[in-house]
Amino acid sequence: MNLTLKVWRQKNINDKGQFVTYQAKDIADDMSFLEMLDVVNEDLTRKGEDPIYFDHDCREGICGMCSLVINGRPHGPKYGITTCQLHMRSFHDGQTIVIEPWRASAFPVLKDLAVDRTAFDRIQQAGGYVNINTGGVPDANTIPIPKRVADEAFESATCIGCGACVAACKNASAMLFVSAKISQFALLPQGQTERYERAQAMVDQMDAEGFGNCTNTGACEAECPKGIKLTNIARMNREYFTAKFFRQEDIHA
């Protein structure tokens, strides 16, 4: 198939940026979206032009780096997949495809389609960990965890931090990401020591990074490639407000 691409090109974080039109020719249906961009970049390189800059790594839907807004939707028109899992059979011959980076002040554009998502790293560093005296490796059965709780914690932990929730939200809220990272610890006995301190620290860091408030429209859940549920946000709010009833010394007690 032959396609028309309108791609956001931006030289650096200080550049204004603009859309540039390219032609993608002889694209096979079974190509992934990133493979299609590879073909376009090979053609640009042969012409001596600067190839389109975009993030990618595993190309297996695991790392979350392939952060593209495709025709107005994070990760494209399909549900429950990342951009690298999107295949060109989802489009038709002669179609025009608009490709943009994530749009959020907390995710500044580094170049073209790649954004700086280290804000997520700083939120994780603020409280997304567990302090324990490990010693020897304990047997997995020594801490009994109900299957329902284990499953819910696992589902929260499947968040890959791609940022689609931020890109989908009209307020650029990161609450789905933060709540998933809080939930995966709050549900398990290993995460109880810093439970309330964690919620306060991660929410405070989220606000400091400049992410917006939750809009309650559910766009984040709808566009999340891993299906993270809005119920995590409700749990995060409970954790955060409950923490306000504790003194700092009580939290560490």
Side-chain angles (χ1 to χ4, degrees):
M1 69 177 75
N2 296 321
L3 304 163
T4 299
L5 308 181
K6 292 186 176 181
V7 183
W8 183 259
R9 302 302 306 264
Q10 185 171 334
K11 293 180 180 179
N12 52 55
I13 196 171
N14 297 314
D15 185 42
K16 185 177 180 180
Q18 62 181 342
F19 281 105
V20 178
T21 300
Y22 299 99
Q23 299 300 318
K25 299 180 179 179
D26 299 324
I27 302 300
D29 291 351
D30 58 356
M31 281 185 180
S32 74
F33 198 86
L34 297 188
E35 287 173 333
M36 180 274 293
L37 289 179
D38 289 338
V39 171
V40 174
N41 276 343
E42 288 174 2
D43 185 53
L44 290 175
T45 301
R46 283 193 294 268
K47 294 177 180 177
E49 299 180 27
D50 190 24
I52 301 166
Y53 194 91
F54 61 93
D55 274 335
H56 63 94
D57 192 2
C58 73
R59 299 200 178 200
E60 295 179 350
I62 298 172
C63 71
M65 290 188 68
C66 51
S67 49
L68 301 179
V69 175
I70 302 167
N71 285 346
R73 291 187 57 183
H75 293 302
K78 297 294 184 178
Y79 289 97
I81 63 172
T82 55
T83 299
C84 62
Q85 297 174 300
L86 178 66
H87 289 85
M88 297 312 297
R89 55 180 169 267
S90 300
F91 304 93
H92 58 79
D93 185 39
Q95 185 171 354
T96 296
I97 304 175
V98 180
I99 311 171
E100 304 173 71
W102 288 169
R103 300 292 191 183
S105 60
F107 287 162
V109 176
L110 296 174
K111 184 177 180 179
D112 295 341
L113 304 174
V115 300
D116 181 357
R117 287 175 294 178
T118 54
F120 272 9
D121 295 333
R122 291 188 289 272
I123 292 172
Q124 284 273 69
Q125 292 163 5
Y129 54 84
V130 175
N131 280 325
I132 57 173
N133 183 12
T134 56
V137 178
D139 186 88
N141 296 323
T142 59
I143 305 178
I145 302 172
K147 185 178 187 304
R148 180 189 62 81
V149 175
D151 287 346
E152 194 170 355
F154 178 80
E155 289 171 2
S156 299
T158 59
C159 170
I160 57 177
C162 67
C165 52
V166 176
C169 179
K170 59 186 178 182
N171 281 359
S173 172
M175 292 185 77
L176 192 68
F177 163 77
V178 177
S179 64
K181 297 306 177 184
I182 288 175
S183 291
Q184 72 184 57
F185 293 111
L187 288 163
L188 299 176
Q190 295 93 332
Q192 298 307 303
T193 304
E194 298 131 332
R195 179 176 179 178
Y196 298 118
E197 181 182 11
R198 175 183 301 111
Q200 289 191 82
M202 295 184 73
V203 170
D204 290 347
Q205 186 63 41
M206 173 184 69
D207 292 340
E209 295 293 343
F211 292 104
N213 292 321
C214 178
T215 62
N216 292 315
T217 60
C220 55
E221 180 181 318
E223 299 295 356
C224 176
K226 298 302 177 181
I228 303 299
K229 301 299 182 184
L230 285 174
T231 50
N232 286 292
I233 297 179
R235 180 179 298 107
M236 180 188 73
N237 288 335
R238 289 196 300 271
E239 295 288 312
Y240 183 76
F241 288 119
T242 302
K244 296 301 182 182
F245 291 98
F246 292 89
R247 296 175 301 175
Q248 194 70 16
E249 54 267 30
D250 292 332
I251 293 175
H252 289 284

